[in-house]
Amino acid sequence: MAMPVHLPTLESRYIDFCRKREVLPNDAIVSSFSKAKLQKSCFERSILQVLLDLLMDVDVPPLIETFSLMGSYEIDAIDIINESPCVLKRENVMSLMRAANQKLRVVDINDSSFGKDFLRDLSYNGLMCQVLNLRSSHIRKLNLVGNFMQLHTLNLDFSISLTSFREDCFSCMPNLMRLSMCETRVSNLWTTSVALSKLPSLVELRFQNCLCCIDTRPCPALSNEKENFPIYEKSWVNHLEPGYSETPSGSTSDPRLQNAHHCRIKEPFENLVLACDSVLCDEPLEYTSEESSSDDSEMDFSDCQRRTHPEKLATTVPTDTIIATRQDSEQFTSKNPSIKEASAYTSNFEHSRDAADFAPKKYVSHHPSPICFEKHYREYMITSLPRLEVLDNIPIKRTEREMAKTIFSQCYEHLPYNQQRKESLVNVLQWREVGIGTGPLGKLSNPKQLYPVRRSKCFFSRSISAAKLGSSAWPLIHSVSKIGGVSGETKSFRPRQFEYHPSNSSLMVFGTLDGEIVVINHESGEIVSYVSSIGTLNSVLGLCWLRRHPSKLIAGSDNGSLQLYDMHQMPSTVAETYTSANFVSFDGFEQLTSLHVNSTDEYFIASGYSKNVALYDIGSGKRLQVISDMHNGHINVVKFAHHSPSLFATSSFDRDVKLWDLRQCPSRPCYTSSSSKGNVMVCFSPDDQYLLSSAVDNEVKQLLAVDGRVHMKFEIASTGSAQNYTRSYYLNGRDYVISGSCEEHVVRICCARTGRRLRDVSLETRGSRNSIFVQSLRGDPFRDFNMSVLAAYMRPSSKFEILKINLMESNKGHKEHSHRV
């Protein structure tokens, strides 16, 4: 085997390459050669550090030629560092990193210098480095699918546009052990844990950091055996070679001052240390917005928007893991009731211990990503990632892991219908064919036993749903608001209200902000019937199909207009006209907000911005009566029962939900159930056994319809906003509840029987400047785990869009759709 050539010879070759290209040797590169020679003379690893900030494009070709000779020279590793904006072309930077090949150790890049194309190239083609520190303002959906076979440490701290991960992200990182994502916008527990579960070697993870920690390892200040975790080392680099360390001269007993000393050292992760030390000042970091630009790439790159303070990012402080001891943290908590409420939230959990059992009181969280504010965030991540050893600089002990499993099982469903393990769809279909089911613990019944376990069709349909949903963490989402007509024309609408057809699984009706009524085939995306605004309708706020006359529907607008339509008499194209002779008008109800038809199609009832409701006879077209003073505040929603034609419920911002019976005196309700905040809506379960009430800011309860007692309270964290209007409906019959709020981009799915959270579905847009929220939602009455959401966009212009969500089909292979989880 040939002996490696000495470093001075390599430096000479570099100078020769520069001379050949008539370029002066770069002073920074020459200096780096000198440092590497000094390291070698001291029997240390020789590291050639390339500072991109100090290079020009003309310096790159000689350096690439030099790198091509590295395999036979005494250079142990190459670090490529970018600390501030530089003038290099992205293709030169990428060529430089590729030329380093197996010698590439640390890459520290700020993508603001190189743009989105550089990130796309990096993501799809990979790198041979061992440590990648990437600070990006462009990445929104991370999609690192290239070859990163040597990578064991990835730092994405302060990637302030990063919200989620593509399904195949992390698929080529078998050796990644340490991952840091502090101060990002990652928020979804479900998709995040599924993405991270593809990292078989991951043992250290953090979404927030301890003040004195500059890497992912356990905080030494929290350990009794501090000598096991040297606090003053450049730990990100020391993960590479246990024998290599660089401890600065001089010491201090204050870890903050010690870290401040590190800021003067030109190391790959200096910027990370600076970010940690910035917490010592009074004002939190903020990030200003950049010029927006569109990009249709699969990376979903977008520009960052103005960054809010971490306390405003989410709704619940993770008190399970964070015990703030600083005075400013205490003052903030005292001034924010929602944070106080969140602090008490976890302590009410009947099986949880004091947070001090697992989170030492010395720990202070900094730069948290929104995911940290999810209730039981720590328990969820620990249970979902069983190989994890350190989370947020706090080591995971055996007792904590066991407690996390307990909390997870009581608060979350791993699979629908409490399935204990994921089964393949093929196995479930085989069991259905032979009529053999699984045992109570999900184990296949013994096929040799004389009387095998027999299961109902309901059991198999639920098992199939669980198998499909378990394999699609990123559900398919697409819009139905841009629709083609039967003659081939397309039109974009601005929907404001919608309803599935009660008996035809392919039909949906929606009303628009422009007063249009549109019946669509939501499977084919074609218009079936269409009525434009003819002067009587403004924004459509109320819609309801008739059951016994399935071609008819009633629509109401915000100006009080009420009409009965027959879709068979409505035009089938947008261009056709529609005369007033083709619909029936009812006496108006001013400032209408809601209407609903009873189960026999005899009556419908309307409510609005008043304390009254009006009862109408559909057959005669007359208003029968106005029932006054039913609430102390305006009645937002009124709903008839599904099977009892005389029973209806009202919800009001006076905080009450009331059940009424038309056969009794209308001045007295059957019962009243109160919430702590104003009630936005109420609805009956499909079998009328329960009422589902939704109050402002995620106060969702299931009531017994017979007497109004609370049967289930769904523990959804509040945001502290008095304008966060929440709406909830049933899914899969009455098996599950879906809930969304007008100031949040998340649809939450909870088991109606146990209250456990099954999954959160996050709605996202291509541009970070677009803010998307849940205006309304409905479960598909014919398809399990299918729903539609009326999404509202607030910036840059206000608009509405209906999104169909299929939880049992993955978005993989449907790249054409712009909306994904």
Side-chain angles (χ1 to χ4, degrees):
M1 182 176 178
M3 295 292 293
V5 184
H6 296 302
L7 273 172
T9 306
L10 182 62
E11 181 180 4
S12 299
R13 294 297 302 272
Y14 165 70
I15 295 174
D16 290 341
F17 288 137
C18 290
R19 185 180 300 112
K20 184 183 302 183
R21 292 182 175 271
E22 298 181 350
V23 176
L24 290 176
N26 185 279
D27 292 341
I29 298 299
V30 174
S31 176
S32 184
F33 272 116
S34 299
K35 291 181 180 178
K37 288 186 289 184
L38 179 61
Q39 291 169 341
K40 182 61 68 174
S41 66
C42 296
F43 302 100
E44 299 176 354
R45 289 175 58 86
S46 55
I47 311 297
L48 183 66
Q49 188 177 85
V50 179
L51 297 177
L52 298 181
D53 313 7
L54 303 180
L55 297 184
M56 303 292 289
D57 285 312
V58 295
D59 297 319
V60 174
L63 201 52
I64 291 177
E65 291 182 283
T66 305
F67 283 1
S68 66
L69 304 175
M70 288 292 187
S72 58
Y73 284 82
E74 285 185 331
I75 197 76
D76 293 311
I78 300 173
D79 294 347
I80 297 180
I81 313 299
N82 167 224
E83 296 176 338
S84 59
C86 68
V87 297
L88 291 178
K89 295 179 180 178
R90 69 169 182 85
E91 53 268 24
N92 284 338
V93 175
M94 191 58 67
S95 298
L96 195 63
M97 293 191 295
R98 302 272 186 246
N101 201 10
Q102 298 286 342
K103 295 283 188 178
L104 189 59
R105 186 183 73 140
V106 175
V107 173
D108 184 7
I109 293 290
N110 188 331
D111 78 339
S112 61
S113 301
F114 312 114
K116 301 177 184 179
D117 290 338
F118 173 83
L119 284 176
R120 190 175 296 110
D121 189 352
L122 176 68
S123 299
Y124 287 120
N125 296 314
L127 274 180
M128 297 302 292
C129 62
Q130 300 174 49
V131 173
L132 176 59
N133 180 30
L134 179 61
R135 296 174 301 283
S136 173
S137 60
H138 295 302
I139 299 178
R140 189 171 61 83
K141 276 181 178 273
L142 192 65
N143 196 27
L144 296 175
V145 295
N147 190 331
F148 294 89
M149 303 300 289
Q150 293 191 139
L151 188 68
H152 60 65
T153 301
L154 175 61
N155 185 319
L156 297 169
D157 291 347
F158 308 107
S159 295
I160 56 178
S161 291
L162 177 60
T163 60
S164 57
F165 312 93
R166 288 289 192 203
E167 191 164 358
D168 293 329
C169 190
F170 304 129
S171 57
C172 295
M173 297 184 184
N175 297 309
L176 188 70
M177 300 177 64
R178 305 167 190 91
L179 176 60
S180 184
M181 290 183 282
C182 303
E183 194 74 20
T184 66
R185 296 176 62 195
V186 175
S187 61
N188 192 299
L189 285 172
W190 284 261
T191 54
T192 300
S193 62
V194 171
L196 297 180
S197 66
K198 297 179 181 180
L199 297 170
S201 302
L202 185 66
V203 292
E204 296 177 7
L205 171 69
R206 71 176 185 181
F207 288 97
Q208 56 193 344
N209 66 283
C210 182
L211 178 62
C212 64
C213 297
I214 56 176
D215 67 358
T216 59
R217 292 191 295 182
C219 177
L222 306 181
S223 174
N224 293 326
E225 299 177 358
K226 296 185 180 180
E227 63 273 10
N228 292 336
F229 306 106
I231 189 172
Y232 303 136
E233 290 183 298
K234 294 299 295 184
S235 303
W236 284 101
V237 178
N238 289 336
H239 279 309
L240 296 165
E241 306 95 7
Y244 172 77
S245 66
E246 182 177 350
T247 305
S249 60
S251 61
T252 176
S253 59
D254 189 343
R256 300 183 184 185
L257 297 180
Q258 185 68 38
N259 282 340
H261 180 83
H262 279 306
C263 296
R264 310 279 70 82
I265 301 175
K266 297 296 183 181
E267 285 290 339
F269 297 92
E270 177 183 355
N271 288 339
L272 177 60
V273 181
L274 282 169
C276 293
D277 289 336
S278 66
V279 184
L280 295 174
C281 61
D282 293 330
E283 292 297 326
L285 292 176
E286 290 192 2
Y287 300 89
T288 57
S289 60
E290 299 176 0
E291 195 65 29
S292 178
S293 62
S294 61
D295 194 311
D296 294 329
S297 70
E298 284 304 311
M299 282 297 294
D300 279 314
F301 297 117
S302 61
D303 306 296
C304 63
Q305 63 185 118
R306 187 164 188 84
R307 185 69 167 155
T308 58
H309 294 176
E311 294 87 355
K312 298 178 182 178
L313 287 175
T315 60
T316 309
V317 173
T319 53
D320 310 58
T321 55
I322 301 174
I323 303 179
T325 58
R326 295 192 307 165
Q327 182 178 2
D328 58 340
S329 298
E330 295 171 352
Q331 290 174 350
F332 173 80
T333 304
S334 65
K335 294 178 181 178
N336 290 269
S338 63
I339 303 300
K340 273 188 174 181
E341 179 182 344
S343 300
Y345 191 71
T346 302
S347 62
N348 293 332
F349 188 75
E350 61 178 347
H351 291 286
S352 65
R353 300 179 181 178
D354 291 336
D357 288 352
F358 305 124
K361 294 185 178 180
K362 297 177 183 178
Y363 184 83
V364 181
S365 168
H366 291 280
H367 305 295
S369 295
I371 194 172
C372 301
F373 296 94
E374 290 292 329
K375 187 188 178 187
H376 301 310
Y377 144 77
R378 184 170 175 87
E379 289 83 2
Y380 190 96
M381 299 305 292
I382 290 174
T383 304
S384 301
L385 304 172
R387 290 182 292 270
L388 207 60
E389 297 177 4
V390 181
L391 178 60
D392 299 333
N393 298 123
I394 302 177
I396 301 170
K397 300 179 181 179
R398 183 182 59 83
T399 52
E400 183 184 13
R401 195 178 299 277
E402 293 302 317
M403 181 57 66
K405 291 180 181 178
T406 301
I407 294 176
F408 183 96
S409 64
Q410 294 172 345
C411 296
Y412 300 100
E413 280 191 349
H414 177 59
L415 291 169
Y417 301 106
N418 205 29
Q419 296 278 334
Q420 297 302 306
R421 69 175 186 177
K422 186 186 299 184
E423 298 286 358
S424 72
L425 182 60
V426 174
N427 286 344
V428 177
L429 293 176
Q430 288 177 343
W431 299 337
R432 185 179 65 176
E433 290 299 318
V434 299
I436 299 177
T438 58
L441 297 179
K443 297 180 179 179
L444 182 64
S445 301
N446 185 0
K448 296 181 180 180
Q449 65 186 12
L450 184 60
Y451 300 105
V453 177
R454 299 286 172 175
R455 298 293 186 178
S456 65
K457 292 181 179 180
C458 180
F459 169 83
F460 287 111
S461 65
R462 290 179 174 182
S463 297
I464 290 172
S465 296
K468 288 184 176 181
L469 191 142
S471 61
S472 58
W474 287 263
L476 177 63
I477 303 179
H478 67 95
S479 172
V480 296
S481 299
K482 189 173 183 179
I483 307 165
V486 293
S487 60
E489 78 277 8
T490 59
K491 180 177 175 62
S492 294
F493 296 97
R494 300 195 301 156
R496 181 57 184 85
Q497 188 61 274
F498 74 97
E499 294 290 345
Y500 284 100
H501 195 281
S503 58
N504 189 326
S505 63
S506 64
L507 295 185
M508 173 191 292
V509 63
F510 64 82
T512 72
L513 293 168
D514 303 310
E516 301 157 302
I517 306 295
V518 187
V519 179
I520 63 168
N521 184 321
H522 61 85
E523 295 177 348
S524 65
E526 294 183 345
I527 295 176
V528 176
S529 304
Y530 171 84
V531 177
S532 64
S533 175
I534 56 176
T536 58
L537 282 176
N538 290 340
S539 179
V540 178
L541 297 182
L543 287 169
C544 191
W545 291 95
L546 274 63
R547 295 186 180 187
R548 298 187 177 182
H549 304 84
S551 67
K552 296 181 179 181
L553 61 98
I554 295 177
S557 71
D558 57 0
N559 68 351
S561 300
L562 292 163
Q563 283 90 29
L564 174 68
Y565 295 92
D566 190 329
M567 70 175 185
H568 291 159
Q569 298 180 15
M570 295 166 59
S572 58
T573 64
V574 175
E576 296 182 48
T577 59
Y578 187 66
T579 65
S580 59
N582 293 327
F583 64 82
V584 177
S585 291
F586 299 87
D587 293 339
F589 190 92
E590 292 186 1
Q591 296 182 306
L592 179 140
T593 59
S594 173
L595 64 87
H596 202 240
V597 179
N598 76 341
S599 60
T600 58
D601 291 352
E602 295 178 78
Y603 311 112
F604 78 89
I605 198 166
S607 67
Y609 286 101
S610 70
K611 303 176 184 179
N612 314 325
V613 300
L615 183 67
Y616 295 82
D617 183 275
I618 296 177
S620 66
K622 296 181 179 179
R623 183 168 60 195
L624 298 180
Q625 63 177 320
V626 175
I627 308 174
S628 303
D629 298 323
M630 302 183 75
H631 284 268
N632 294 323
H634 86 258
I635 301 170
N636 196 52
V637 169
V638 58
K639 293 285 186 182
F640 271 110
H642 293 283
H643 305 284
S644 300
S646 300
L647 294 179
F648 67 95
T650 55
S651 64
S652 169
F653 282 94
D654 66 0
R655 304 186 179 186
D656 289 340
V657 167
K658 297 183 180 183
L659 184 74
W660 307 84
D661 192 335
L662 293 176
R663 297 166 298 184
Q664 299 179 0
C665 176
S667 62
R668 187 174 63 236
C670 299
Y671 58 76
T672 299
S673 179
S674 298
S675 303
S676 64
K677 302 168 186 174
N679 286 298
V680 180
M681 68 158 294
V682 65
C683 67
F684 285 85
S685 63
D687 58 6
D688 288 344
Q689 289 192 28
Y690 302 103
L691 283 173
L692 187 64
S693 71
S694 306
V696 172
D697 205 16
N698 297 322
E699 185 179 347
V700 182
K701 295 183 294 185
Q702 184 170 252
L703 312 175
L704 293 173
V706 66
D707 56 14
R709 285 180 297 156
V710 176
H711 171 261
M712 177 69 61
K713 183 176 181 181
F714 300 94
E715 300 293 349
I716 303 175
S718 62
T719 66
S721 171
Q723 284 75 45
N724 191 33
Y725 302 119
T726 302
R727 294 168 175 85
S728 306
Y729 283 88
Y730 284 97
L731 181 71
N732 295 16
R734 64 173 175 90
D735 294 342
Y736 286 87
V737 167
I738 53 176
S739 181
S741 299
C742 70
E743 291 187 353
E744 298 179 85
H745 68 288
V746 176
V747 176
R748 300 174 175 92
I749 307 171
C750 302
C751 177
R753 185 174 61 87
T754 65
R756 298 188 188 110
R757 189 86 63 87
L758 174 63
R759 182 174 293 184
D760 286 359
V761 179
S762 299
L763 307 181
E764 296 176 358
T765 63
R766 281 200 176 274
S768 62
R769 285 175 176 263
N770 286 331
S771 299
I772 185 171
F773 304 106
V774 179
Q775 182 67 30
S776 188
L777 70 173
R778 302 287 190 278
D780 189 321
F782 302 98
R783 301 167 183 84
D784 285 352
F785 294 110
N786 277 253
M787 70 184 86
S788 290
V789 175
L790 179 62
Y793 300 79
M794 296 306 173
R795 290 189 301 269
S797 60
S798 178
K799 71 170 185 176
F800 293 84
E801 183 177 25
I802 298 175
L803 303 177
K804 285 183 61 177
I805 301 175
N806 184 353
L807 292 166
M808 295 199 295
E809 184 175 355
S810 172
N811 67 19
K812 191 174 182 180
H814 294 80
K815 303 295 184 181
E816 70 275 11
H817 298 301
S818 61
H819 296 274
R820 298 180 181 88
V821 177

